[in-house]
Structures are given as C-alpha cells and as structure tokens.
Amino acid sequence: MTQNSGNANSHPTIKDVAALAQVAPKTVSRVINEEPYVSSTTKERVLSAIKELHYRPDVHAADLKRGKSSSRTLGVLLGARPNPFSSSVHWSIDSVAVQHSSLVLASALTGNQDRDSKTVDEMLSRRIDGLILVTAASSQDYLIPEMRRGLAVVFADSTSMGLPSDTVMSDNYAGAINGTRALLSIGHRNMAYLGAKKNVYTVSQRRKGFLAAVKESSLPMGNIDLVDDMDECKAYTVTCRLIDRARTKRPTAIFAGQNLIARGVIRALRTRGLEKSIAIISFDDADMFDMLDPGITVIKQNPENIGRIAANMAFERINGLTAEPRHILLPTELIPRGSGEIPPSQ
Amino acid sequence: MTQNSGNANSHPTIKDVAALAQVAPKTVSRVINEEPYVSSTTKERVLSAIKELHYRPDVHAADLKRGKSSSRTLGVLLGARPNPFSSSVHWSIDSVAVQHSSLVLASALTGNQDRDSKTVDEMLSRRIDGLILVTAASSQDYLIPEMRRGLAVVFADSTSMGLPSDTVMSDNYAGAINGTRALLSIGHRNMAYLGAKKNVYTVSQRRKGFLAAVKESSLPMGNIDLVDDMDECKAYTVTCRLIDRARTKRPTAIFAGQNLIARGVIRALRTRGLEKSIAIISFDDADMFDMLDPGITVIKQNPENIGRIAANMAFERINGLTAEPRHILLPTELIPRGSGEIPPSQ
DNA sequence: CTGAAAGCGCTAACAA
DNA sequence: TTGTTAGCGCTTTCAG
C-alpha cells in the first residue's frame, strides 16, 4: 500500500495504480486509453491493479492536460413547465448522448434571469461541449462569445433569437393553419383562440397560423376571440366567460394553443356539460387525451424527433462541422378524435 | 493580447486575465473566489479584464487543485420509463441542487446492465459528489467502494438492496392496504390485482399490501386474480380476458398497481362499455385521471417530496453527515373520484 | 515496448 | 495587499 491507496476519503490516482503494478504512470495511462505498444503481461498487471483499487480515471484531469476542453458533457436547459413534451425531448437527447459516450447536465429554466444565467454559468464553468436549449423563451446573447470558442448551441422547440445556431422545431405555423382549417371546413363561424405567451416564437407562429387560416376563410375578425398569455388555470376562467355568453355570441369552436391550455378549456366545458357541443382542438397532444369523451383532436408534434435531431446537430458541431446554421422544421399531424369534429351547434 | 486570449478555439485562462489586468494569477484567483485583502482598484481592474475576455473559471481545474474532489455535481439515474412521476422527482432534485450551487447529471437507466454500468462509470469518472437512483430495479453493489470514498448514494422510490444508503419512498404497503380496504368495504368479493414486475421492491410492497387487506377480510384466495409483470399493453389484454368471463366469475373491482397499468385497464373497460360497472383503483396518479368519466380513484404519491427529500439527504451526506442510513416512508393519500366507489354489480 | 519530465488551469502555503 | 512556488491527476513529448 503506497501513497494514499488505502485512504478512505479520496480516489486512488494513476500513481497508486502504477505503484501497485510496478510500472510508470504513463504505462497505466496507455492501458486506460488502449494505446498500442503495451506488452500483454504488463497490461494484465495494470488491469488487475486497477481492479483491486477500484481505480477510475478522472476525466476532468485528463481533459485538462489534453487541452481540448472536451468534457464529453452536454448541457440541456428545459424552458417549459415540466410536461410530457419536454420530458420526451430531454430523454431523446439523453439517448443520443449515451451513444457518443457523453452525459447530459440537465436543468430547468425558471424564467428568473439571474438564476437562469447562474445555471448557464455553472454549466459553462464545467466546460460543456454543447448546449441545447429546449423551449427557451428569452434571448441568450451572452452565449455568443462561448459559441466563438466552439460551444455548440442548438435551440429545440424555440428560435435562436438572432444567434447563429442550429434550430429544430415543429412547423407550428403550418400545423396551426391545418387545425384551424379543419374547424372552418365543418362550418364554424365563431371561434376562439387561447394561446400561451405570444412573445415565445413557437407560440407566435401558432397564433399566426390560426389568423392566416381565419383570414383566408374571409371570416370577419369580429367573430374571433383572441386571448393570449393563457395557462391551464387562466384558460379555465376565460373559457367559462366565453361560453357563458349568449348562445349566438359564443364561440362554437376553440383552438387551444397548447396542451395545458386545452386542459383548462376541457375542464371548463365539462362544468357546463358542453364538451360534446363545442369543438376544441389542441396544439400538442397529452396523455389520456384519446381516452376522454369525446377524444381530444390534436395537432401532434414529435418530441422524440426534435430531441434526437437537436442532439445530432449538436454532436455534428462538436465534431467540427462549421456549415451555416441549419433550421429544421418538422411536420405536425392532425389527429381527429372527436372533439375537433363537432359541428357548430346552431 | 497576450497568450492565447484571442484564440477562437480555447477558453481564456486565469493567466490571460492576469496579464491583461497586470496582476499575478493568484490575485485574479482571489477576486474570483471573493477572498478578502484585494484593494478595490485592483479588483476593478481584474473584474473588467474578466469581462473583456469573457473569462469563466474552470471549476474542474480548481477542484483538482483543491483536492476535495467536489465537483458540485450530482448524478441522477432514472430507472422507470419516462412518466410524470419520475419527471417530478427529477425536477424536484434539480431545484434543490441549484440551491446548493450544484448541477445534475441526469441519465435514464435502460435495464441493460452493460450500458447502465457504463453510464454510472461515466458519472463516477466525472467525480460526482452524490448519486440518486430513482426507481432503480437492480442491485448496485459495485457502488460500495465508491461509497467508502464518500460518494453519497440515495435511493428514491426504491430500496437500497443491501447497500447502507439512505432511501425515500412512499409507504407502498400501507397505501395498497388502504386502497384495497376501500374496495372491500363497499362489498367487492371478486377482485383482480394487476401489478408490475414483482421483483421491484415498491411493487412487491403494493402487492403485499393488497394481499394483506384481502387476508384480513377473510376473502378466499379463489376469488382473487393476481397477475404480475404487467405494462400498459399487457394490462389491456389481461383485463379483456378477465371481464369477458361469465358475469358471476369476473372481478367486480380491479386494483391497478401502477398508473400505466391503470391506463391499460381503463382502455379495456371502455371497449366493453364497463367503465361505470367495474371498479378500479390506481396506485399513483396520472394527468387527466380526474377528467375521465368516471374519474379514476387513485392512491396518490408525492413525487416532489420524494425528490426533495432525496436531494436533501444527499447533500447532508456530502456535507459530512455520517449517521446511520435513514429510511424515509412517505404517506400516500387515497383520492376518491368515482371509479373506486363503484359497488359490485351483482 | 517503457519511462521521465513538463505542464494543462487553478489554488494552498508561504513569502514579501 | 500582492506575488511566488509547488502540485492536484493526468497526458503530451521526447528519450531510452
């Protein structure tokens, strides 16, 4: 037992292994990194010393010397309230990362600028190779110098807000147009749009899509209720207000700009027993939407693909790709389940 | 522009800052670490140099020197298929970590031993301070040497399987007894238990709780269908088989050992139009369970608390606590919503 | 095939 | 109040 090999409170080092195997540290290093030119007997000895000491190389120390500042670690920042969508994106990124022997430092963005930038600082201080921002709402200009140094930044389900970085998201505009057209095509002439914060890019695209479809149908805007900044709770309240209006003045169809908003709307419709009388379409699916009665018609995204593509783009950059920023739009799918096919009630 | 300060591909170092501010590296270090005894003018100069170069200290290099192998990073391993429960635990851990200026390395366990232990290795090589295993199924004996070196290991929603580490989980046994008693008290005499893999500790506790309640009611075991290894899909199939039996032989109530299993059961009941005739209770809640008709009665857990407590215990250990392993059981709550209050149909 | 020396970015210990 | 030296764990470079 040389050095600190028996020390309960610290990791054995390459020196401890070297001492036990009676070789030089560099030889241990060769074995660890599977470099050639190590005799098989030496290798054996080193390997068994590693095992005996439960030695585990310190990647940070190794990277420090290598100078390539590649920690094989990816940062992922989740901007949205925890929900199945962002979870899927996250785990999809994780599974790509594992294939690249990388790990994911994950954290939730809170919207509090100070706290969030502290989180990013912590990640950057740990020398992450890439950063994927999922559903990020605010601008991240301070990342520019980091990008110049080679940090691979990818925005998933959000726009890069001026940063020259790759982006992946659903084609929110086209998806919203599609859904809205479906509503219009079955005769709805009074509709409501309940959307999230419209300063978020994806939300604004959905809003625009909705409006574009309305416009092409030549419906007067007087027939449309447009409400922004919704969340589940507010959506409930607003929907109650909308449907408590005189029958001729109330919307016969509701476009929910997000799954949580849809939940609020559905709750409200149910309290009035109107869930089979007023149509609703939700942008983004949610668990159990198919099991309600009626089933909720949704504009479905593909979060797994978004995560996978984001991660792949990040690794391409990490591996040296220097092409122009790429902007991927993924198609959405309109899934009719009943709630979106309800005709206008009068 | 001294050293590599203008280099596009690498981070500026403390030396670059020192050169620009015309001080010694150690002085920069003092400023970074907010040590006393730095004149305010010097401090200013250093700070502005830091800003100009977009300098960010490398925590790994710092820790290396400090020798305390504290990377202020926590590992979190999620063992269950992505679902709202594990998501909540995860984000709850994250929010505690941030308070401790720590970051979370998160990864999903796959069940594939080789791949999973590679993931743990990667985390250990990054010198995480603690490891929280959420819903881990298999034994993790190889962690023992790491624990001896001071790695704080906490099991959340799972047992430590012999390892002397802290654990937090719901009181699965009591919760299951409670739910089952509720079913029995309204007169059910033919019941089915559909549970997940029974080699998972929490699952086995639920199973035992169910059986204990049955036993105390002196119901003959012949009246009970006990099925293990269910998932959503299998639960659907099995439920179909159960309810297609003769009316006198089929269960009048179903205990679903997990929310995904409950989903399969609910789907099956609906295809037969039996959702209002056969009772169901689900262990663990899920989004929208309250909005179905009837609402799904659940034995509710508190994932946020599980995550928070797990993280707190981990940080206590990291900060030197050496008490005996603690095992926390959190109460569950039976939430009646309709489906669990359906009386036996004959 | 193997080893010795130097140094990655940082800070502890000591000096000035 | 500031600077110097040494060394954390590892790998590079170069010499055996």
Side-chain angles (χ1 to χ4, degrees), chain A residues 236-260:
Chain A
Y236 175 87
T237 318
V238 168
T239 305
C240 286
R241 190 160 50 69
L242 289 174
I243 62 187
D244 284 345
R245 299 208 292 229
R247 222 186 147 88
T248 52
K249 300 298 278 176
R250 78 184 182 197
T252 59
I254 297 175
F255 182 101
Q258 201 237 48
N259 54 184
L260 295 180

PDB file of all heavy atoms in Angstrom, chain A residues 236-260:
ATOM      1  N   TYR A 236     -59.136  28.073 -18.046  1.00  0.00           N
ATOM      2  CA  TYR A 236     -60.403  27.636 -17.445  1.00  0.00           C
ATOM      3  C   TYR A 236     -61.331  28.836 -17.254  1.00  0.00           C
ATOM      4  O   TYR A 236     -62.477  28.840 -17.701  1.00  0.00           O
ATOM      5  CB  TYR A 236     -60.124  26.956 -16.103  1.00  0.00           C
ATOM      6  CG  TYR A 236     -61.375  26.580 -15.356  1.00  0.00           C
ATOM      7  CD1 TYR A 236     -62.003  25.355 -15.599  1.00  0.00           C
ATOM      8  CD2 TYR A 236     -61.932  27.449 -14.416  1.00  0.00           C
ATOM      9  CE1 TYR A 236     -63.160  25.015 -14.925  1.00  0.00           C
ATOM     10  CE2 TYR A 236     -63.090  27.106 -13.734  1.00  0.00           C
ATOM     11  CZ  TYR A 236     -63.692  25.882 -13.986  1.00  0.00           C
ATOM     12  OH  TYR A 236     -64.853  25.545 -13.326  1.00  0.00           O
ATOM     13  N   THR A 237     -60.794  29.868 -16.636  1.00  0.00           N
ATOM     14  CA  THR A 237     -61.585  31.065 -16.354  1.00  0.00           C
ATOM     15  C   THR A 237     -62.104  31.713 -17.636  1.00  0.00           C
ATOM     16  O   THR A 237     -63.292  32.036 -17.767  1.00  0.00           O
ATOM     17  CB  THR A 237     -60.717  32.096 -15.609  1.00  0.00           C
ATOM     18  OG1 THR A 237     -59.949  31.416 -14.629  1.00  0.00           O
ATOM     19  CG2 THR A 237     -61.572  33.150 -14.967  1.00  0.00           C
ATOM     20  N   VAL A 238     -61.181  31.892 -18.559  1.00  0.00           N
ATOM     21  CA  VAL A 238     -61.556  32.567 -19.801  1.00  0.00           C
ATOM     22  C   VAL A 238     -62.612  31.767 -20.556  1.00  0.00           C
ATOM     23  O   VAL A 238     -63.581  32.318 -21.084  1.00  0.00           O
ATOM     24  CB  VAL A 238     -60.312  32.794 -20.678  1.00  0.00           C
ATOM     25  CG1 VAL A 238     -60.722  33.230 -22.083  1.00  0.00           C
ATOM     26  CG2 VAL A 238     -59.401  33.823 -20.037  1.00  0.00           C
ATOM     27  N   THR A 239     -62.432  30.469 -20.606  1.00  0.00           N
ATOM     28  CA  THR A 239     -63.396  29.643 -21.326  1.00  0.00           C
ATOM     29  C   THR A 239     -64.778  29.765 -20.683  1.00  0.00           C
ATOM     30  O   THR A 239     -65.798  29.876 -21.376  1.00  0.00           O
ATOM     31  CB  THR A 239     -62.956  28.168 -21.335  1.00  0.00           C
ATOM     32  OG1 THR A 239     -61.650  28.091 -21.877  1.00  0.00           O
ATOM     33  CG2 THR A 239     -63.902  27.322 -22.172  1.00  0.00           C
ATOM     34  N   CYS A 240     -64.820  29.738 -19.376  1.00  0.00           N
ATOM     35  CA  CYS A 240     -66.092  29.895 -18.678  1.00  0.00           C
ATOM     36  C   CYS A 240     -66.761  31.195 -19.115  1.00  0.00           C
ATOM     37  O   CYS A 240     -67.940  31.238 -19.438  1.00  0.00           O
ATOM     38  CB  CYS A 240     -65.885  29.912 -17.162  1.00  0.00           C
ATOM     39  SG  CYS A 240     -65.501  28.282 -16.502  1.00  0.00           S
ATOM     40  N   ARG A 241     -65.983  32.247 -19.149  1.00  0.00           N
ATOM     41  CA  ARG A 241     -66.524  33.542 -19.535  1.00  0.00           C
ATOM     42  C   ARG A 241     -67.053  33.478 -20.972  1.00  0.00           C
ATOM     43  O   ARG A 241     -68.168  33.933 -21.259  1.00  0.00           O
ATOM     44  CB  ARG A 241     -65.422  34.605 -19.407  1.00  0.00           C
ATOM     45  CG  ARG A 241     -65.907  36.026 -19.555  1.00  0.00           C
ATOM     46  CD  ARG A 241     -64.925  37.042 -18.959  1.00  0.00           C
ATOM     47  NE  ARG A 241     -63.540  36.883 -19.380  1.00  0.00           N
ATOM     48  CZ  ARG A 241     -63.098  37.117 -20.622  1.00  0.00           C
ATOM     49  NH1 ARG A 241     -63.941  37.500 -21.572  1.00  0.00           N
ATOM     50  NH2 ARG A 241     -61.811  36.963 -20.910  1.00  0.00           N
ATOM     51  N   LEU A 242     -66.283  32.878 -21.849  1.00  0.00           N
ATOM     52  CA  LEU A 242     -66.681  32.822 -23.261  1.00  0.00           C
ATOM     53  C   LEU A 242     -67.981  32.046 -23.463  1.00  0.00           C
ATOM     54  O   LEU A 242     -68.874  32.476 -24.206  1.00  0.00           O
ATOM     55  CB  LEU A 242     -65.581  32.173 -24.104  1.00  0.00           C
ATOM     56  CG  LEU A 242     -64.294  32.965 -24.318  1.00  0.00           C
ATOM     57  CD1 LEU A 242     -63.277  32.108 -25.057  1.00  0.00           C
ATOM     58  CD2 LEU A 242     -64.578  34.254 -25.083  1.00  0.00           C
ATOM     59  N   ILE A 243     -68.067  30.906 -22.802  1.00  0.00           N
ATOM     60  CA  ILE A 243     -69.224  30.057 -23.091  1.00  0.00           C
ATOM     61  C   ILE A 243     -70.452  30.443 -22.299  1.00  0.00           C
ATOM     62  O   ILE A 243     -71.549  29.941 -22.550  1.00  0.00           O
ATOM     63  CB  ILE A 243     -68.902  28.554 -22.850  1.00  0.00           C
ATOM     64  CG1 ILE A 243     -68.557  28.304 -21.384  1.00  0.00           C
ATOM     65  CG2 ILE A 243     -67.798  28.094 -23.756  1.00  0.00           C
ATOM     66  CD1 ILE A 243     -68.068  26.903 -21.114  1.00  0.00           C
ATOM     67  N   ASP A 244     -70.277  31.349 -21.359  1.00  0.00           N
ATOM     68  CA  ASP A 244     -71.439  31.826 -20.626  1.00  0.00           C
ATOM     69  C   ASP A 244     -72.128  32.977 -21.348  1.00  0.00           C
ATOM     70  O   ASP A 244     -73.142  33.511 -20.884  1.00  0.00           O
ATOM     71  CB  ASP A 244     -71.038  32.261 -19.209  1.00  0.00           C
ATOM     72  CG  ASP A 244     -70.816  31.041 -18.317  1.00  0.00           C
ATOM     73  OD1 ASP A 244     -71.252  29.938 -18.719  1.00  0.00           O
ATOM     74  OD2 ASP A 244     -70.199  31.181 -17.257  1.00  0.00           O
ATOM     75  N   ARG A 245     -71.575  33.349 -22.490  1.00  0.00           N
ATOM     76  CA  ARG A 245     -72.206  34.411 -23.269  1.00  0.00           C
ATOM     77  C   ARG A 245     -73.474  33.890 -23.947  1.00  0.00           C
ATOM     78  O   ARG A 245     -73.718  32.674 -23.980  1.00  0.00           O
ATOM     79  CB  ARG A 245     -71.241  34.909 -24.344  1.00  0.00           C
ATOM     80  CG  ARG A 245     -69.970  35.494 -23.739  1.00  0.00           C
ATOM     81  CD  ARG A 245     -69.359  36.535 -24.627  1.00  0.00           C
ATOM     82  NE  ARG A 245     -68.820  35.979 -25.859  1.00  0.00           N
ATOM     83  CZ  ARG A 245     -67.592  36.250 -26.318  1.00  0.00           C
ATOM     84  NH1 ARG A 245     -66.781  37.035 -25.626  1.00  0.00           N
ATOM     85  NH2 ARG A 245     -67.177  35.756 -27.455  1.00  0.00           N
ATOM     86  N   ALA A 246     -74.237  34.808 -24.501  1.00  0.00           N
ATOM     87  CA  ALA A 246     -75.460  34.414 -25.217  1.00  0.00           C
ATOM     88  C   ALA A 246     -75.089  33.409 -26.304  1.00  0.00           C
ATOM     89  O   ALA A 246     -74.022  33.470 -26.899  1.00  0.00           O
ATOM     90  CB  ALA A 246     -76.116  35.646 -25.844  1.00  0.00           C
ATOM     91  N   ARG A 247     -75.963  32.506 -26.534  1.00  0.00           N
ATOM     92  CA  ARG A 247     -75.702  31.395 -27.435  1.00  0.00           C
ATOM     93  C   ARG A 247     -75.254  31.834 -28.828  1.00  0.00           C
ATOM     94  O   ARG A 247     -74.437  31.187 -29.464  1.00  0.00           O
ATOM     95  CB  ARG A 247     -76.994  30.582 -27.553  1.00  0.00           C
ATOM     96  CG  ARG A 247     -76.754  29.086 -27.512  1.00  0.00           C
ATOM     97  CD  ARG A 247     -78.052  28.371 -27.787  1.00  0.00           C
ATOM     98  NE  ARG A 247     -77.789  27.142 -28.483  1.00  0.00           N
ATOM     99  CZ  ARG A 247     -77.537  25.988 -27.867  1.00  0.00           C
ATOM    100  NH1 ARG A 247     -77.538  25.941 -26.554  1.00  0.00           N
ATOM    101  NH2 ARG A 247     -77.297  24.903 -28.571  1.00  0.00           N
ATOM    102  N   THR A 248     -75.802  32.933 -29.281  1.00  0.00           N
ATOM    103  CA  THR A 248     -75.440  33.391 -30.627  1.00  0.00           C
ATOM    104  C   THR A 248     -74.092  34.093 -30.662  1.00  0.00           C
ATOM    105  O   THR A 248     -73.525  34.279 -31.722  1.00  0.00           O
ATOM    106  CB  THR A 248     -76.494  34.384 -31.159  1.00  0.00           C
ATOM    107  OG1 THR A 248     -76.683  35.407 -30.172  1.00  0.00           O
ATOM    108  CG2 THR A 248     -77.812  33.680 -31.405  1.00  0.00           C
ATOM    109  N   LYS A 249     -73.627  34.479 -29.502  1.00  0.00           N
ATOM    110  CA  LYS A 249     -72.384  35.242 -29.482  1.00  0.00           C
ATOM    111  C   LYS A 249     -71.186  34.406 -29.019  1.00  0.00           C
ATOM    112  O   LYS A 249     -70.069  34.879 -29.016  1.00  0.00           O
ATOM    113  CB  LYS A 249     -72.530  36.454 -28.526  1.00  0.00           C
ATOM    114  CG  LYS A 249     -73.630  37.415 -28.909  1.00  0.00           C
ATOM    115  CD  LYS A 249     -73.385  38.050 -30.267  1.00  0.00           C
ATOM    116  CE  LYS A 249     -72.435  39.234 -30.155  1.00  0.00           C
ATOM    117  NZ  LYS A 249     -72.123  39.807 -31.497  1.00  0.00           N
ATOM    118  N   ARG A 250     -71.468  33.203 -28.609  1.00  0.00           N
ATOM    119  CA  ARG A 250     -70.333  32.452 -28.075  1.00  0.00           C
ATOM    120  C   ARG A 250     -69.645  31.626 -29.169  1.00  0.00           C
ATOM    121  O   ARG A 250     -70.272  31.243 -30.150  1.00  0.00           O
ATOM    122  CB  ARG A 250     -70.792  31.561 -26.922  1.00  0.00           C
ATOM    123  CG  ARG A 250     -71.500  30.307 -27.365  1.00  0.00           C
ATOM    124  CD  ARG A 250     -71.994  29.541 -26.155  1.00  0.00           C
ATOM    125  NE  ARG A 250     -72.632  28.303 -26.571  1.00  0.00           N
ATOM    126  CZ  ARG A 250     -73.428  27.590 -25.790  1.00  0.00           C
ATOM    127  NH1 ARG A 250     -73.718  28.018 -24.567  1.00  0.00           N
ATOM    128  NH2 ARG A 250     -73.958  26.469 -26.229  1.00  0.00           N
ATOM    129  N   PRO A 251     -68.367  31.354 -28.968  1.00  0.00           N
ATOM    130  CA  PRO A 251     -67.646  30.564 -29.970  1.00  0.00           C
ATOM    131  C   PRO A 251     -68.201  29.142 -30.025  1.00  0.00           C
ATOM    132  O   PRO A 251     -68.623  28.595 -29.008  1.00  0.00           O
ATOM    133  CB  PRO A 251     -66.206  30.568 -29.456  1.00  0.00           C
ATOM    134  CG  PRO A 251     -66.281  30.922 -28.012  1.00  0.00           C
ATOM    135  CD  PRO A 251     -67.501  31.757 -27.843  1.00  0.00           C
ATOM    136  N   THR A 252     -68.204  28.577 -31.212  1.00  0.00           N
ATOM    137  CA  THR A 252     -68.633  27.179 -31.344  1.00  0.00           C
ATOM    138  C   THR A 252     -67.428  26.261 -31.430  1.00  0.00           C
ATOM    139  O   THR A 252     -67.567  25.048 -31.431  1.00  0.00           O
ATOM    140  CB  THR A 252     -69.492  27.000 -32.607  1.00  0.00           C
ATOM    141  OG1 THR A 252     -68.721  27.390 -33.751  1.00  0.00           O
ATOM    142  CG2 THR A 252     -70.751  27.859 -32.537  1.00  0.00           C
ATOM    143  N   ALA A 253     -66.255  26.876 -31.526  1.00  0.00           N
ATOM    144  CA  ALA A 253     -65.027  26.076 -31.583  1.00  0.00           C
ATOM    145  C   ALA A 253     -63.898  26.830 -30.901  1.00  0.00           C
ATOM    146  O   ALA A 253     -63.805  28.050 -30.997  1.00  0.00           O
ATOM    147  CB  ALA A 253     -64.653  25.788 -33.036  1.00  0.00           C
ATOM    148  N   ILE A 254     -63.064  26.069 -30.209  1.00  0.00           N
ATOM    149  CA  ILE A 254     -61.943  26.686 -29.505  1.00  0.00           C
ATOM    150  C   ILE A 254     -60.630  26.067 -29.968  1.00  0.00           C
ATOM    151  O   ILE A 254     -60.497  24.846 -30.037  1.00  0.00           O
ATOM    152  CB  ILE A 254     -62.096  26.510 -27.980  1.00  0.00           C
ATOM    153  CG1 ILE A 254     -63.364  27.233 -27.514  1.00  0.00           C
ATOM    154  CG2 ILE A 254     -60.868  27.036 -27.235  1.00  0.00           C
ATOM    155  CD1 ILE A 254     -63.689  27.041 -26.043  1.00  0.00           C
ATOM    156  N   PHE A 255     -59.703  26.933 -30.301  1.00  0.00           N
ATOM    157  CA  PHE A 255     -58.361  26.492 -30.670  1.00  0.00           C
ATOM    158  C   PHE A 255     -57.462  26.712 -29.459  1.00  0.00           C
ATOM    159  O   PHE A 255     -57.223  27.857 -29.069  1.00  0.00           O
ATOM    160  CB  PHE A 255     -57.862  27.306 -31.863  1.00  0.00           C
ATOM    161  CG  PHE A 255     -56.502  26.898 -32.361  1.00  0.00           C
ATOM    162  CD1 PHE A 255     -56.368  26.105 -33.491  1.00  0.00           C
ATOM    163  CD2 PHE A 255     -55.340  27.312 -31.698  1.00  0.00           C
ATOM    164  CE1 PHE A 255     -55.114  25.739 -33.966  1.00  0.00           C
ATOM    165  CE2 PHE A 255     -54.078  26.942 -32.162  1.00  0.00           C
ATOM    166  CZ  PHE A 255     -53.966  26.153 -33.305  1.00  0.00           C
ATOM    167  N   ALA A 256     -57.002  25.621 -28.847  1.00  0.00           N
ATOM    168  CA  ALA A 256     -56.125  25.750 -27.690  1.00  0.00           C
ATOM    169  C   ALA A 256     -54.680  25.657 -28.155  1.00  0.00           C
ATOM    170  O   ALA A 256     -54.272  24.649 -28.724  1.00  0.00           O
ATOM    171  CB  ALA A 256     -56.424  24.663 -26.669  1.00  0.00           C
ATOM    172  N   GLY A 257     -53.933  26.708 -27.903  1.00  0.00           N
ATOM    173  CA  GLY A 257     -52.589  26.811 -28.445  1.00  0.00           C
ATOM    174  C   GLY A 257     -51.564  25.914 -27.777  1.00  0.00           C
ATOM    175  O   GLY A 257     -50.401  25.903 -28.156  1.00  0.00           O
ATOM    176  N   GLN A 258     -51.999  25.123 -26.812  1.00  0.00           N
ATOM    177  CA  GLN A 258     -51.041  24.293 -26.074  1.00  0.00           C
ATOM    178  C   GLN A 258     -51.804  23.286 -25.224  1.00  0.00           C
ATOM    179  O   GLN A 258     -52.924  23.561 -24.794  1.00  0.00           O
ATOM    180  CB  GLN A 258     -50.196  25.230 -25.193  1.00  0.00           C
ATOM    181  CG  GLN A 258     -48.884  24.674 -24.750  1.00  0.00           C
ATOM    182  CD  GLN A 258     -48.811  24.698 -23.236  1.00  0.00           C
ATOM    183  OE1 GLN A 258     -49.765  24.269 -22.577  1.00  0.00           O
ATOM    184  NE2 GLN A 258     -47.701  25.180 -22.706  1.00  0.00           N
ATOM    185  N   ASN A 259     -51.183  22.152 -24.956  1.00  0.00           N
ATOM    186  CA  ASN A 259     -51.939  21.085 -24.269  1.00  0.00           C
ATOM    187  C   ASN A 259     -52.440  21.444 -22.873  1.00  0.00           C
ATOM    188  O   ASN A 259     -53.547  21.083 -22.488  1.00  0.00           O
ATOM    189  CB  ASN A 259     -51.168  19.765 -24.268  1.00  0.00           C
ATOM    190  CG  ASN A 259     -49.763  19.853 -23.718  1.00  0.00           C
ATOM    191  OD1 ASN A 259     -49.028  18.889 -23.723  1.00  0.00           O
ATOM    192  ND2 ASN A 259     -49.373  21.029 -23.228  1.00  0.00           N
ATOM    193  N   LEU A 260     -51.637  22.197 -22.136  1.00  0.00           N
ATOM    194  CA  LEU A 260     -52.102  22.558 -20.796  1.00  0.00           C
ATOM    195  C   LEU A 260     -53.292  23.512 -20.868  1.00  0.00           C
ATOM    196  O   LEU A 260     -54.222  23.444 -20.067  1.00  0.00           O
ATOM    197  CB  LEU A 260     -50.975  23.201 -19.983  1.00  0.00           C
ATOM    198  CG  LEU A 260     -49.799  22.271 -19.672  1.00  0.00           C
ATOM    199  CD1 LEU A 260     -48.733  22.995 -18.870  1.00  0.00           C
ATOM    200  CD2 LEU A 260     -50.285  21.036 -18.924  1.00  0.00           C
TER     201      LEU A 260
END
